[in-house]
Amino acid sequence: VPAPFDGYIKRVDVEVGDMVEGGNSILGGLDTAELRLSLAAAKAEKVSYLKQASAAMRDAETAQAQIAQANADKVQAQVELLEYQIGQSNLVSPIGGVVVKGDLKRQIGAPVKVGDVLFEVCPLESLRAQLMVPEDEIYDIKIAQEGYLATASYPGQRIKFVVERINPIAEVVNQRNVFKVRVQLLDTHTWMRPGMEGVAKVSVGKRRYVWIWTRKIVNWIRMKLWL
């Protein structure tokens, strides 16, 4: 939920971890004092141009009347923009879910720019998980494979998932080359929150025990002896 215009944070109505309803929950609001002053000035300016247009028409000064009317139309566009911005000052969550970013109560009165992300809301019913798969194991991972994960908070609760996407480029995480694999969670629970960490296991099919026990050593020896 970004800032709809340049302004100042007036209030914050939620905290990180709060549940919100889509289209109904107000997350916070921006100060509209300057916008309302600009709106009043623009309306007064419009009235002035309309009076000029009326006087010019009465005196049969068609060109002057057209110029004044054009200026009035221009100011009317500014009025509509200001009214729209004032109407957007209440920041409403477009979706239901949990607030994962928006700890702004200490920043009330702080300036914000249009487009600055003030709040982030994550829908719990569409949570995804990101697996960090080591480089030497990524060739076992395929799209649509299933597996289970357990979080550090609830290690006894197994959550089923299906592999959705495999990042084609490796990244260095904790001094290891890993591939990020996105999975869709097939089970959801009320205690689940974005940012949780844990361990995942992916079902990649059956292998011989000898292969499982020795493949890392064999691969290491092949790399060392390769010429």
Side-chain angles (χ1 to χ4, degrees), residues 52-125:
Q52 293 178 21
S54 178
M57 289 295 294
R58 186 176 59 250
D59 297 337
E61 296 178 350
T62 304
Q64 294 299 323
Q66 291 176 344
I67 293 174
Q69 184 61 50
N71 288 330
D73 294 341
K74 179 181 178 180
V75 175
Q76 176 59 28
Q78 296 176 355
V79 168
E80 293 176 357
L81 175 60
L82 291 170
E83 290 177 340
Y84 173 78
Q85 290 177 333
I86 292 173
Q88 297 294 308
S89 62
N90 285 330
L91 305 175
V92 180
S93 175
I95 60 174
V98 61
V99 179
V100 297
K101 179 181 178 181
D103 189 12
L104 303 174
K105 289 191 174 182
R106 294 184 179 180
Q107 300 183 35
I108 292 178
V112 294
K113 297 292 185 180
V114 59
D116 288 349
V117 177
L118 303 181
F119 300 93
E120 288 185 6
V121 179
C122 179
L124 295 181
E125 65 273 9

Side-chain angles (χ1 to χ4, degrees), residues 1-214:
V1 181
F5 53 83
D6 295 347
Y8 300 88
I9 299 175
K10 183 178 182 180
R11 70 179 194 279
V12 177
D13 300 333
V14 296
E15 295 181 354
V16 173
D18 287 351
M19 299 295 297
V20 296
E21 296 181 5
N24 294 322
S25 298
I26 297 178
L27 308 177
L30 301 184
D31 186 34
T32 60
E34 291 186 7
L35 293 178
R36 294 184 185 279
L37 289 175
S38 298
L39 178 61
K43 288 183 175 180
E45 187 178 5
K46 177 187 174 183
V47 171
S48 175
Y49 281 128
L50 290 177
K51 288 182 178 179
Q52 293 178 21
S54 178
M57 289 295 294
R58 186 176 59 250
D59 297 337
E61 296 178 350
T62 304
Q64 294 299 323
Q66 291 176 344
I67 293 174
Q69 184 61 50
N71 288 330
D73 294 341
K74 179 181 178 180
V75 175
Q76 176 59 28
Q78 296 176 355
V79 168
E80 293 176 357
L81 175 60
L82 291 170
E83 290 177 340
Y84 173 78
Q85 290 177 333
I86 292 173
Q88 297 294 308
S89 62
N90 285 330
L91 305 175
V92 180
S93 175
I95 60 174
V98 61
V99 179
V100 297
K101 179 181 178 181
D103 189 12
L104 303 174
K105 289 191 174 182
R106 294 184 179 180
Q107 300 183 35
I108 292 178
V112 294
K113 297 292 185 180
V114 59
D116 288 349
V117 177
L118 303 181
F119 300 93
E120 288 185 6
V121 179
C122 179
L124 295 181
E125 65 273 9
S126 60
L127 278 179
R128 300 292 194 273
Q130 185 170 262
L131 312 185
M132 304 294 185
V133 181
E135 182 180 4
D136 60 342
E137 297 178 6
I138 190 62
Y139 62 85
D140 286 328
I141 306 299
K142 303 290 187 297
I143 301 296
Q145 285 177 336
E146 295 183 347
Y148 291 88
L149 64 83
T151 66
S153 301
Y154 291 85
Q157 184 74 55
R158 301 294 188 265
I159 303 171
K160 190 175 183 179
F161 64 77
V162 60
V163 176
E164 192 174 62
R165 183 179 184 276
I166 302 173
N167 195 325
I169 301 176
E171 300 182 27
V172 178
V173 177
N174 295 329
Q175 299 181 347
R176 293 189 64 187
N177 245 24
V178 299
F179 285 84
K180 293 182 178 180
V181 177
R182 189 178 68 191
V183 301
Q184 180 182 1
L185 303 183
L186 302 181
D187 301 326
T188 57
H189 303 277
T190 56
W191 52 263
M192 294 170 62
R193 292 292 184 271
M196 286 183 168
E197 295 184 349
V199 178
K201 292 185 177 182
V202 183
S203 178
V204 299
K206 294 183 178 182
R207 302 288 191 276
R208 294 180 179 274
Y209 284 116
V210 175
W211 182 87
I212 296 174
W213 295 333
T214 62

